């Protein structure tokens, strides 16, 4: 079976490959990203939740690959829609995390850092990831969350996105100060992918 990742975010691809390393080996699942099968394009993420956007991404890519005759019958398309929700900002940036500042990842981080500073320097926050799965059989999804706090200073070089200002509960380091193994053992993406494994195994057994 091929698991086709419908994401253009290389950091997500790296994490998904790491988290699914033993699953793909144990179940003979080949993981590849959609840009190896087609020219990637901008997908309009106009859903109102992480789940809606994840399913938009997996279904759109599935349909195009199917119409181009590229898909094999057991192929599965997997997407990830994720973001950070800050309590003192009423849950923002949330599903707009990738578009928060209108600029790139660095501008998004700087905008959130300065907002947190304006609001007193700290706020409870959580990351959410929703995995979308589209196949010839069905569409399904799985969520994962990671709770913690955001601070108004950047610390660490690892990870991506908002990781330099997010301290997970139970730690005194930001995600960017943790190793990729440490992040992947607790992250929203890890939990969502673990939940998604149950759906994938069911599809594998069909
Ligand atoms: P695709 O839609 O192609 O998958 P994207 O980066 O646009 O890529 P999203 O719309 O899901 O993906 O936006 C996710 C954003 O949320 C991401 O760009 C980061 O800013 C943030 N984010 C999600 N997970 C994160 C993580 O583990 N660490 C840091 N930031 C994260």
């Amino acid at each position: 079976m091929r698991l086709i990742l419908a994401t253009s975010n290389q950091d997500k691809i790296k994490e998904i490959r790491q988290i699914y390393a033993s699953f793909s080996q144990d179940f003979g699942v080949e993981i590849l990203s959609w840009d190896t099968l087609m020219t990637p394009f901008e997908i309009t993420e106009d859903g109102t939740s992480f789940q809606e956007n994840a399913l938009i991404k997996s279904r759109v890519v599935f349909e195009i690959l199917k119409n181009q005759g590229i898909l094999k019958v057991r192929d599965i398309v997997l997407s990830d829609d994720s973001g950070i929700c800050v309590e003192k900002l009423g849950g923002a940036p949330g599903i707009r995390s990738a578009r928060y500042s209108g600029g790139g990842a660095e501008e998004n981080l700087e905008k959130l850092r300065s907002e947190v500073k304006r609001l007193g320097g700290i706020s409870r926050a959580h990351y959410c990831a929703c995995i979308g799965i589209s196949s010839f059989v069905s569409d399904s999804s799985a969520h994962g969350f990671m709770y913690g706090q955001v601070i108004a200073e950047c610390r660490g070089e690892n990870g991506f996105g908002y990781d330099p200002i997010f301290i997970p509960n139970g730690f005194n380091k930001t995600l960017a100060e943790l190793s990729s193994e440490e992040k992947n053992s607790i992250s929203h993406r890890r939990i969502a992918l673990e939940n998604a494994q149950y759906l994938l195994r069911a599809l594998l057994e069909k």
Side-chain angles (χ1 to χ4, degrees), residues 5-77:
L5 307 183
T7 172
S8 300
N9 182 321
Q10 295 305 316
D11 295 297
K12 286 185 185 177
I13 291 175
K14 195 171 145 206
E15 290 188 2
I16 295 168
R17 282 187 181 283
Q18 286 170 344
I19 293 165
Y20 269 178
S22 58
F23 168 66
S24 66
Q25 214 170 24
D26 294 350
F27 289 85
V29 174
E30 182 193 351
I31 299 178
L32 60 164
S33 66
W34 68 322
D35 60 358
T36 61
L37 298 175
M38 65 190 287
T39 308
F41 59 93
E42 191 74 39
I43 301 173
T44 308
E45 297 178 29
D46 54 5
T48 58
S49 64
F50 291 109
Q51 185 182 38
E52 281 182 19
N53 283 336
L55 289 170
I56 287 170
K57 289 190 263 195
S58 60
R59 186 39 60 182
V60 164
V61 172
F62 185 90
E63 287 300 321
I64 290 177
L65 289 172
K66 187 179 85 180
N67 293 338
Q68 291 184 356
I70 294 170
L71 282 188
K72 299 177 191 166
V73 74
R74 295 183 70 77
D75 283 348
I76 294 173
V77 175

Side-chain angles (χ1 to χ4, degrees), residues 4 9-10 53 55 60 91 108 119 122 125 129 150 171 178 182:
I4 299 157
N9 182 321
Q10 295 305 316
N53 283 336
L55 289 170
V60 164
N108 289 340
L119 294 167
I122 194 158
V150 280
F171 291 78
L178 298 179
E182 286 172 313

Side-chain angles (χ1 to χ4, degrees), residues 7-9 12 45 57 82 127 160 163 183 188-189:
T7 172
S8 300
N9 182 321
K12 286 185 185 177
E45 297 178 29
K57 289 190 263 195
S82 46
Y127 274 114
F160 68 99
D163 288 347
K183 177 182 174 184
H188 51 311
R189 185 159 295 104

